[in-house]
Amino acid sequence: MNRDRPEGLSAYIAVTAAYWAFMLTDGALRMLVLLHFHTLGFSPVQLAYLFVLYEIAGMVTNLCAGWIAARFGMTSTLYAGLGIQVVALLALAQLDPGWAIGVSVAFVMIVQGASGVAKDLAKMSSKSAVKILAPTEAGGLFRWVAILTGSKNAVKGLGFLLGAGLLATVGFVWAVLAMAAVLAVILVIVLIAMPPGLPKGRKGAKFSEVFSKSTNVNWLSAARVFLFGARDVWFVVGIPIYFYAVLSDGTEEGNRAAFFMIGTFMALWIILYGVVQAVAPRLLRAAERPEGELVHTARGWAWALAVIPATLTAAALASTEPQLWLTVTLVAGLLIFGAVFAVNSALHSYLILAFTKAERVTMDVGFYYMANAGGRLLGTVLSGLTYQAGGLPLMLGTATAMVALSALASGRLSLEDPQVTPV
């Protein structure tokens, strides 16, 4: 197709808008669940369990969604993701505070699993669409994928703030129901207004095609596992619970204030991450540099990222208990981590589309985001375990080791992969 046609841009805008709506509710839901169940007395490990099935579902979904989109079309998986999220939100509103903790954990895990399926159906569809719709000249692919990914993360950051704010004002149930209603309206609008421009699918697509023969796709997926594991090992449970311990005085008003401050930090982190992702092509001068240079840049940025959690680990080891200077250091350090992490993530998101071919884009993107979900799963489990077992030092030290592994995997990327036709 001609990627410069007006309907191509219209389809890109529609896909981006749908993805924004989804990620707003996804961010809000994560913050709602984390803070609500922490106030009910859940331990860090139990809180991590709430998100485990979410990430497992993401791995399975990404593996299958690439084939489903190739077989039935990208719009079908996008619509399915939005619809499943509405159902998951409505189900979560049925949670009864009187249930035993074990029953509550199991129920929320199942609902979060459905939400994980929804998220990765929407993500795979949106990211794959960029490969089809983006212009090829002057770094167009990197620019379009950076805008989609960066804006999505900024919106998700607002979702964290929204979730914390709704929990503190209208409560858990009404917050979930309000999000379900808004997302349902967005789904109807997208169903009616989606312009042409995306592939409708091909009947001959085989599930076995999901597994890539490209060395670059496989090494990049490995790098993605450890990159996102390094983020979620502190992001999911450890840091929010540490900040809650520092900020809350145990009263209802103190809890509400802590919710707002934690939600604000998490929102600012994600928004900063998204903004830097969006401008990453300019920071890296992508339009002026050959693709081979961008491939080798990924390793250097990963090693630069590893320095930050290593420094924070040293700071945590120097403090035996929560202190103001340590909290300020963590806030500043994690914001810097977010900016450098964003460049790494933007490079990965561009390279997976550069390495794949248009006829199998959903397959490779699905496989790559299966690795992404695997990293998030690993980070989620380790977030609760490392924080409970060794506090901040063990948690941040684990993040450092995982970034180093990501850098080693990135160092194996090459333009000499025979399966790859560079764009």
Side-chain angles (χ1 to χ4, degrees):
M1 61 172 283
N2 180 356
R3 296 178 185 176
D4 297 322
R5 292 188 311 180
E7 58 264 34
L9 179 59
S10 298
Y12 174 78
I13 292 172
V15 166
T16 301
Y19 198 28
W20 283 354
F22 184 94
M23 295 312 296
L24 184 69
T25 63
D26 186 70
L29 181 60
R30 178 169 288 265
M31 189 56 58
L32 276 168
V33 169
L34 178 67
L35 295 178
H36 177 67
F37 284 94
H38 176 63
T39 60
L40 294 180
F42 281 37
S43 71
V45 172
Q46 289 171 327
L47 290 171
Y49 285 158
L50 296 179
F51 300 103
V52 164
L53 193 57
Y54 176 93
E55 304 300 352
I56 293 175
M59 291 180 64
V60 175
T61 301
N62 277 305
L63 189 62
C64 300
W67 173 78
I68 294 171
R71 176 68 177 79
F72 299 102
M74 292 182 193
T75 52
S76 62
T77 47
L78 178 62
Y79 300 152
L82 293 169
I84 292 171
Q85 181 77 337
V86 171
V87 174
L89 289 166
L90 292 173
L92 196 59
Q94 308 308 310
L95 181 70
D96 189 338
W99 291 347
I101 285 183
V103 176
S104 296
V105 169
F107 179 78
V108 176
M109 283 182 67
I110 292 171
V111 175
Q112 285 286 89
S115 182
V117 171
K119 184 200 74 173
D120 286 293
L121 284 172
K123 175 189 283 187
M124 186 281 305
S125 306
S126 303
K127 296 292 181 70
S128 297
V130 178
K131 175 72 173 183
I132 304 300
L133 302 172
T136 55
E137 71 280 356
L141 178 60
F142 198 171
R143 188 172 66 254
W144 279 36
V145 73
I147 291 171
L148 173 69
T149 306
S151 62
K152 174 268 294 186
N153 282 310
V155 169
K156 186 173 182 178
L158 292 175
F160 279 109
L161 184 58
L162 175 66
L166 288 173
L167 182 61
T169 52
V170 302
F172 183 78
V173 173
W174 282 109
V176 172
L177 289 174
M179 291 192 297
V182 171
L183 196 59
V185 172
I186 296 294
L187 173 58
V188 172
I189 293 172
V190 172
L191 280 168
I192 295 171
M194 177 67 76
L198 293 177
K200 302 299 183 183
R202 54 187 176 90
K203 294 183 178 180
K206 298 179 180 178
F207 184 78
S208 59
E209 296 176 35
V210 167
F211 299 97
S212 178
K213 297 179 181 179
S214 165
T215 302
N216 273 342
V217 169
N218 292 329
W219 277 116
L220 185 62
S221 298
R224 192 74 171 185
V225 168
F226 295 113
L227 181 69
F228 270 76
R231 184 199 68 173
D232 281 11
V233 75
W234 62 264
F235 188 83
V236 174
V237 173
I239 285 296
I241 298 308
Y242 172 82
F243 284 163
Y244 184 85
V246 172
L247 298 171
S248 177
D249 60 6
T251 66
E252 185 174 347
E253 289 186 0
N255 287 346
R256 288 183 178 179
F259 291 160
F260 275 115
M261 286 186 279
I262 294 168
T264 298
F265 169 76
M266 304 297 277
L268 287 175
W269 193 94
I270 290 287
I271 291 169
L272 171 67
Y273 167 43
V275 169
V276 175
Q277 270 192 315
V279 300
R282 292 184 183 179
L283 292 175
L284 297 170
R285 296 181 291 106
E288 308 166 16
R289 302 169 72 179
E291 184 178 283
E293 195 173 325
L294 289 173
V295 169
H296 296 304
T297 296
R299 176 174 53 183
W301 278 96
W303 283 117
L305 182 65
V307 172
I308 302 168
T311 303
L312 294 178
T313 302
L317 286 169
S319 177
T320 57
E321 59 184 29
Q323 296 180 22
L324 178 61
W325 73 266
L326 177 59
T327 302
V328 172
T329 300
L330 285 171
V331 170
L334 292 175
L335 289 174
I336 296 170
F337 181 95
V340 181
F341 179 88
V343 177
N344 280 271
S345 182
L347 272 168
H348 286 192
S349 295
Y350 161 69
L351 289 174
I352 186 59
L353 295 180
F355 289 153
T356 191
K357 299 176 182 178
E359 61 269 21
R360 59 167 292 114
V361 59
T362 60
M363 304 284 195
D364 283 344
V365 170
F367 181 80
Y368 166 80
Y369 279 111
M370 178 194 70
N372 187 96
R376 292 171 59 98
L377 172 62
L378 180 62
T380 296
V381 173
L382 290 177
S383 187
L385 288 175
T386 57
Y387 186 75
Q388 188 159 312
L392 288 176
L394 181 58
M395 181 185 71
L396 293 168
T398 302
T400 304
M402 296 180 82
V403 177
L405 290 171
S406 181
L408 291 173
S410 297
R412 303 300 299 270
L413 301 176
S414 171
L415 282 180
E416 297 177 0
D417 184 349
Q419 297 294 327
V420 175
T421 302
V423 296

